[in-house]
Amino acid sequence: MTSSSVFRPARLLGGALLCAGLCGCGAPPKAARHLDPQLPWFADNRERIDALLDKHAGAAQPRPVAVFDWDNTVIKNDVGDITIFWMLRNDQVLQPPDRNWAVTSPFLTGAAQQALSLACGPLAEPGQPLPTAQPQGLACADEIMAVYGKAATGAGAPAFAGWNHRTMEPAYAWNVALHAGHTPAEIKGFAAAAIAEALKVEVGAVQSVGSRADTNAYVRIYEPIRDLIGALQADRFEVWVLSASAQPVVEAFAAQVGVPAERVIGIRAIVGADGKLTRALEGCGAVADGANTLITYVDGKRCWMNKVIFGVQGAAAAAVQTDPAKRPVFAAGDSNTDVAFLQDATGLKLVLNRHKSELMCNAYHNVGGNWLINPMFIAPQAKQADNYPCSASACTDATGAGVACKDERGGPIPDQPDTVF
C-alpha cells in the first residue's frame, strides 16, 4: 500500500455490503435463492436463470415482474379442461335462458346452436342443471364436448365463425360461458374438487365424459417451475399468472404454487347483481365490457398484462410499452397464445417446447439472445422432423390465415429447425 492509499473498511448499510477504498470487495450481489440444482433443466437454462436472479438482487423499486402462463407452463395439461369435464360429470352445466344456445357465444354457428338445442334443450328448464352425467344426458355431454374440444358439432360442422384470431379463442371463451349461473366461489370450489382428483390419479390417466372414455384425467405441477416461482419470489420478484382459463379456476390452482388470487389474470366474466357469473366478459383496451371479442389470448394477453399489472389504461394497453418499467423482466409460456407477452419481456423469455409454430419460430430465432427453450418436464415432445415454416406460414393473422413470422423487433424470421426436445 502506498502512502497515498487509504484503507476504508467495508460496512453494512441497508443489508448490502458496501465497500470503500481498496478493501478488495466489490463482488456483485447474490440472489437470496437460486434454482434447486437437483431439478432437471435443459442445457444452461438453470445457470442463465440464476444469473438473472443475481442481476436483480437488491434492485431498487419497483420490484421486477415475472409473468407465467398457466396451462402446460406451470402445470402439465389444462385446468380449464379438467374443470369443465368435472362439471359435466357432476351435472353442473346449466341450461341457457330460453334454451337458446346462441347467448353462450357471439361466434357460435347456427349449426352448433341447433345441435346443442336438439341434444340438450329437452333435458332441463332454463337455469337448471343439465343431466350430462345421466344416461338421458350423454348425447348433450357429447355435443358440448365436441363443440368445446373440436370446435365442431358432433356431425362435424364448424362450431364457431367470425372471430379475431389474435384476440379471441371462442372455445376458451365458451368454456367460461358454461360457468354462467354459478357464483365465482362455486366455480372455484368445482375447480378445487377437479384439481384434487386430477392430482391423485396416475400420469396418463383418462376418464369418461359423456360417452367418451378417453378424456384426459390428470394434471401435475411441474416441480422445476414451482421451484422457479419460489426462487423469483424469494428474490423480490412480483410473480403473476396470465392465463386463458377462467379467473376463479386458475385462482384455485395458483395458490398451490404460492401465487395469490390478486396476482392471477384469467378470463374474467362479469358478475351480475345476484352475485352470479354472467356470459358477458370484461373488456380490455378499446374493447368494452360485454363486447366478448377479446380475452387473454395472444395480443389480448399483452393487453391484460399491461392493464392489470402495469396500470396502462384505455387503448394504450393493447400496445407494446416503450417504458421498460412497464414490461416484465421474465416471462414463461408454451403456446402461440403466449407469444406477445413473451416478446415484451426485457430479461429472459422461457419457452416449453410443445411444437407451437409461432412461439417456436420466435424462440429459435432468438433475436435478442434472451429466449430460453426447455422440453416439457413431463412427457416431452419428440423432435419435429421438418423445419418450422417461419418464413411462410407458421404464424397467424387476425383472420386465421398462416403468414410469415416477425420477431419482436419487426424483422423477418427464417425457417427454424427443432433442436430442443
Side-chain angles (χ1 to χ4, degrees):
M1 180 180 297
T2 67
S3 59
S4 61
S5 299
V6 178
F7 177 79
R8 298 184 180 91
R11 59 192 177 91
L12 287 173
L13 180 61
L17 181 65
L18 300 181
C19 297
L22 302 177
C23 68
C25 298
K30 295 283 286 185
R33 176 180 157 191
H34 284 156
L35 299 183
D36 184 343
Q38 301 303 312
L39 293 172
W41 286 90
F42 182 82
D44 65 347
N45 287 350
R46 180 193 294 110
E47 290 74 16
R48 294 187 67 186
I49 293 169
D50 283 346
L52 180 78
L53 295 172
D54 287 341
K55 178 180 178 180
H56 290 275
Q61 295 290 349
R63 295 170 65 183
V65 168
V67 183
F68 288 78
D69 169 58
W70 185 259
D71 300 306
N72 284 301
T73 298
V74 179
I75 65 168
K76 173 67 175 178
N77 291 325
D78 189 301
V79 70
D81 289 355
I82 288 291
T83 302
I84 202 66
F85 300 160
W86 187 95
M87 291 177 66
L88 289 168
R89 289 192 298 106
N90 289 273
D91 297 342
Q92 293 295 346
V93 175
L94 307 181
Q95 181 80 271
D98 299 322
R99 298 183 174 86
N100 179 13
W101 285 86
V103 304
T104 62
S105 170
F107 307 108
L108 201 65
T109 62
Q113 294 170 32
Q114 182 178 31
L116 289 161
S117 293
L118 287 172
C120 305
L123 298 178
E125 293 296 315
Q128 295 302 304
L130 291 163
T132 47
Q134 313 308 317
Q136 71 271 28
L138 295 185
C140 175
D142 288 347
E143 201 62 48
I144 291 172
M145 287 287 287
V147 171
Y148 174 58
K150 299 179 180 178
T153 67
F160 302 103
W163 71 96
N164 182 326
H165 290 247
R166 304 298 300 181
T167 62
M168 170 59 64
E169 170 45 67
Y172 295 176
W174 195 65
N175 178 313
V176 177
L178 297 182
H179 298 170
H182 294 289
T183 67
E186 286 171 338
I187 295 298
K188 196 168 182 177
F190 298 161
I195 293 162
E197 287 183 3
L199 287 170
K200 287 180 181 177
V201 299
E202 65 184 11
V203 170
V206 295
Q207 61 185 323
S208 294
V209 181
S211 63
R212 289 182 53 182
D214 60 350
T215 303
N216 175 60
Y218 85 97
V219 295
R220 290 292 187 276
I221 297 170
Y222 286 139
E223 289 306 321
I225 300 295
R226 188 206 300 266
D227 178 62
L228 168 57
I229 289 171
L232 287 163
Q233 291 173 327
D235 293 320
R236 294 186 58 261
F237 274 74
E238 191 173 294
V239 177
W240 289 77
V241 168
L242 178 61
S243 175
S245 287
Q247 179 78 27
V249 168
V250 184
E251 286 181 9
F253 213 167
Q256 296 197 29
V257 296
V259 177
E262 60 268 22
R263 289 192 180 158
V264 171
I265 307 169
I267 302 177
R268 297 181 173 183
I270 294 171
V271 178
D274 59 359
K276 296 179 179 180
L277 294 162
T278 70
R279 295 170 184 85
L281 305 178
E282 291 186 27
C284 182
V287 177
D289 289 354
N292 290 13
T293 58
L294 182 149
I295 60 171
T296 42
Y297 186 81
V298 196
D299 297 341
K301 279 197 169 183
R302 170 182 287 140
C303 187
W304 272 98
M305 175 181 72
N306 290 340
K307 172 185 173 180
V308 176
I309 301 176
F310 299 110
V312 182
Q313 300 300 311
V320 177
Q321 302 303 299
T322 57
D323 181 356
K326 292 186 176 180
R327 296 173 70 164
V329 168
F330 180 90
D334 71 284
S335 183
N336 296 339
T337 183
D338 305 320
V339 69
F341 85 88
L342 279 163
Q343 285 183 335
D344 289 358
T346 60
L348 294 178
K349 316 163 196 276
L350 173 65
V351 171
L352 299 192
N353 186 359
R354 291 207 301 132
H355 295 329
K356 300 300 181 180
S357 61
E358 183 165 350
L359 183 62
M360 298 316 299
C361 285
N362 277 267
Y364 279 126
H365 183 47
N366 194 18
V367 67
N370 58 347
W371 291 81
L372 305 182
I373 303 172
N374 213 89
M376 288 189 295
F377 296 103
I378 297 173
Q381 299 278 4
K383 177 183 173 65
Q384 178 164 295
D386 297 328
N387 287 354
Y388 294 100
C390 312
S391 66
S393 60
C395 291
T396 304
D397 69 10
T399 71
V403 296
C405 297
K406 292 189 180 299
D407 59 42
E408 59 261 44
R409 299 176 181 174
I413 301 179
D415 293 353
Q416 299 291 322
D418 188 32
T419 59
V420 178
F421 50 89

